[in-house]
């Protein structure tokens, strides 16, 4: 998915994105918020370093466990909640 995003960004040099990190509800709120920020930053760094996308075109945000898309009581749900989203900025 990251490679596909990099391709779109390379082909559309005026498009900027926001990378939003999310976590499951495992752990405490503060730790999850920090982890989600780190997750988003890691994706930004990968796009910049490995795919030569200007870091100035990418903003990041962490949401922690505040926006689950699945049930945090199942392994599948937990895995789905540990994610990043890409939003056109």
């Amino acid at each position: 998915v990251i490679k596909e995003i990099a391709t779109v960004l390379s082909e559309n040099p005026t498009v900027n994105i926001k990378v939003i990190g999310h976590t499951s509800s495992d752990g405490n709120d503060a730790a999850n918020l920090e982890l989600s920020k780190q997750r988003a930053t890691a994706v930004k760094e990968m796009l910049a370093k490995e795919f030569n996308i200007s870091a100035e075109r990418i903003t990041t945000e962490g949401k922690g466990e505040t926006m689950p898309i699945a049930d945090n009581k199942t392994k599948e749900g937990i895995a789905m909640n540990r994610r990043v989203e890409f939003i056109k900025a």
Side-chain angles (χ1 to χ4, degrees):
V1 172
I2 293 173
K3 185 177 181 179
E4 291 172 15
I5 295 293
T7 299
V8 170
L9 291 172
S10 293
E11 293 172 353
N12 299 280
T14 61
V15 171
N16 297 327
I17 63 167
K18 178 185 274 191
V19 181
I20 303 172
H22 300 274
T23 65
S24 67
S25 62
D26 289 351
N28 72 51
D29 294 352
N32 282 336
L33 181 59
E34 184 58 32
L35 177 60
S36 68
K37 290 176 182 179
Q38 291 172 2
R39 184 168 283 150
T41 299
V43 171
K44 175 181 178 174
E45 289 174 357
M46 177 181 276
L47 286 166
K49 291 178 184 173
E50 293 187 27
F51 298 99
N52 296 316
I53 304 298
S54 172
E56 284 122 24
R57 296 175 58 197
I58 307 166
T59 59
T60 61
E61 183 177 353
K63 294 285 189 179
E65 60 190 69
T66 63
M67 298 177 68
I69 58 169
D71 188 347
N72 275 305
K73 295 178 183 168
T74 67
K75 279 198 297 189
E76 295 82 11
I78 288 169
M80 290 175 67
N81 289 328
R82 294 174 178 166
R83 68 192 191 283
V84 295
E85 290 179 295
F86 298 93
I87 309 270
K88 185 178 175 184

